Amino acid sequence: MIKSKRSYFLWICLCCLLVLASCGSRKSTSNTKAARAADAMANLKSKSLYRFITDWTGVKYKLGGLDKSGIDCSGFAFLLQQNIYGKKLPRRSRDQAEAIRKKSLGNLKEGDLIFFSFGGKEVDHVGIYLNGDFFVHASTSRGVVVDDLSLPVYQQAIVKTGTLH
């Protein structure tokens, strides 16, 4: 009888453990960076922009590159503006920054350009604003990605924002 009570007690404990383990709390993914980036993509007004970005996402960075074997930030902005908006943009990010009409960061619209300086005062990087503090660019370390503009590394490096004339 004692052995039977012990077995019954162990069986109850095991069942409780299984129930508790299966009810473990899960981290909500609705507020992760990836989920917010996915929301920014889903909320794009231009479906052709959405397709362009998804088609290029993950293409590796290559200085001077202008195709799927590798692309740099200004080449990506150049192709995006040409293919999605039919606008001609200079090839180098420094020259691109001179070709825009300046806008404040808070007034950016989908497709506007954001220029950064990571190495001083000169423009050395460009990205394209999407919405909700997200932008797309060709990162030197991760290739073409959608990134969070509110990150301090980007906030500290923004030097100019605007729209193509």
Side-chain angles (χ1 to χ4, degrees), residues 56-116:
W56 282 86
T57 297
V59 171
K60 69 180 182 174
Y61 181 90
K62 179 181 175 187
L63 184 61
L66 202 56
D67 59 32
K68 297 275 178 81
S69 68
I71 193 159
D72 64 15
C73 63
S74 60
F76 182 72
F78 173 85
L79 290 177
L80 187 145
Q81 290 294 323
Q82 181 180 340
N83 291 317
I84 302 306
Y85 301 109
K87 295 183 178 181
K88 190 88 169 139
L89 192 62
R91 178 60 179 87
R92 294 181 337 150
S93 59
R94 198 171 308 143
D95 298 330
Q96 292 173 348
E98 296 303 317
I100 66 162
R101 187 178 72 244
K102 195 171 183 178
K103 269 181 152 177
S104 68
L105 189 59
N107 289 326
L108 292 180
K109 303 282 185 222
E110 181 176 301
D112 285 343
L113 298 167
I114 307 162
F115 296 93
F116 304 88

Side-chain angles (χ1 to χ4, degrees), residues 33-51:
K33 179 182 166 188
R36 290 184 298 123
D39 285 345
M41 287 291 290
N43 290 323
L44 289 175
K45 293 175 186 159
S46 169
K47 295 308 169 199
S48 59
L49 177 59
Y50 177 89
R51 285 188 298 274

